[in-house]
Amino acid sequence: GRLRYAFSGGAAINKDVAEFIDSLGITVYEGYGLTETSPIATANTPSGRKIGSIGKAIPGVQVVIDSPDGKKTEKGYREGEIVVFGHNVMQGYLNRPEDNAAVFCTRDFKPYGDGGPNPDRGFRTGDMGYVDGEGFVYITGRIKEQYKLENGKYVVPSPLEEDLKLSPFIINAMVYGDNKLFNVALIVPDPDAVK
C-alpha cells in the first residue's frame, strides 16, 4: 500500500499496457539506456512524463536521430537511428577496433574510428526512434529487424507483433515480409480463449 511509483527499462512498454497500469493508479516512469551508455540515457520523471515515450535525455546527454533517408513519422518528426552523445558514453570495446568504428560517429554521423574520449563522439544504439517537439524520445523498433517490402516500404515487425499479442486470443505472433508484396503473420492462438 505504500507504492508511489515504479521504473521500467530494458524494452519499451506497449502504450496500451502503460495506459492500463496508469489507470490502476500506478505511475510508471519509463527510461532507456544501454550498457554502452552507462547505462541510462533518457528517463521520464515527475517533472516530465509522457506515456509511450522513454522520456527526455538526462542532464549532460543529447539524443540525436540519424535519418539519412529523411524518413518522418505521421506527425512529421524525423525517424531513424537513435544516437547518444554525452559523458555517459563508453570509451570503446576493448581491443575491438572494427566494432568501435561501427558504433561510434561524429555529430555529422561519419564514423569516428576506434573510439577514445571525445565530447562530440556519439554511440549508435541500433534502435530506431524519434524525438518529439518537447524533447521526449520514442522507440519504434530495431534497425536490424527492419526489412523492405517489394514496393519499397520499410517495415519494423516488433511493434506489429506486440499489438497482435495484446489480443486475449493470441499467445504469440511473428510478422514477416522481406522483399514480398505484403506482410504475413504467423499467429499462435490461445486454445482456451478461442473456445
Side-chain angles (χ1 to χ4, degrees), residues 127-168:
D127 291 315
M128 291 178 53
Y130 65 93
V131 180
D132 73 10
E134 296 177 68
F136 286 89
V137 183
Y138 295 80
I139 293 179
T140 57
R142 293 276 305 153
I143 297 289
K144 290 181 181 178
E145 291 177 351
Q146 179 176 256
Y147 58 80
K148 191 190 289 191
L149 294 174
E150 195 174 273
N151 65 8
K153 182 174 180 167
Y154 284 96
V155 176
V156 181
S158 52
L160 300 171
E161 293 164 350
E162 291 303 316
D163 284 348
L164 287 168
K165 289 190 284 186
L166 286 175
S167 167

Side-chain angles (χ1 to χ4, degrees), residues 2 15-16 26-27 34 47 84 87 92 96 99 108 110 144 150-151 189:
R2 297 182 316 189
K15 188 174 180 184
D16 292 336
I26 301 171
T27 301
L34 304 96
S47 62
V84 177
H87 60 278
R96 292 170 50 189
D99 292 335
D108 59 358
K110 293 187 174 139
K144 290 181 181 178
E150 195 174 273
N151 65 8

Side-chain angles (χ1 to χ4, degrees), residues 55-142:
K56 293 181 178 183
I58 63 170
V61 172
Q62 183 182 18
V63 172
V64 180
I65 303 300
D66 181 13
S67 181
D69 60 0
K71 184 176 177 183
K72 295 199 175 203
T73 67
E74 292 174 2
K75 294 181 180 177
Y77 301 119
R78 286 182 47 224
E79 183 177 23
E81 184 171 14
I82 297 171
V83 181
V84 177
F85 292 87
H87 60 278
N88 61 328
V89 173
M90 70 171 180
Q91 290 185 10
Y93 299 114
L94 184 62
N95 298 324
R96 292 170 50 189
E98 300 85 17
D99 292 335
N100 289 332
V103 298
F104 290 122
C105 64
T106 60
R107 289 203 179 265
D108 59 358
F109 305 116
K110 293 187 174 139
Y112 181 68
D114 67 351
N118 181 341
D120 292 324
R121 181 198 62 183
F123 178 77
R124 295 182 164 281
T125 65
D127 291 315
M128 291 178 53
Y130 65 93
V131 180
D132 73 10
E134 296 177 68
F136 286 89
V137 183
Y138 295 80
I139 293 179
T140 57
R142 293 276 305 153

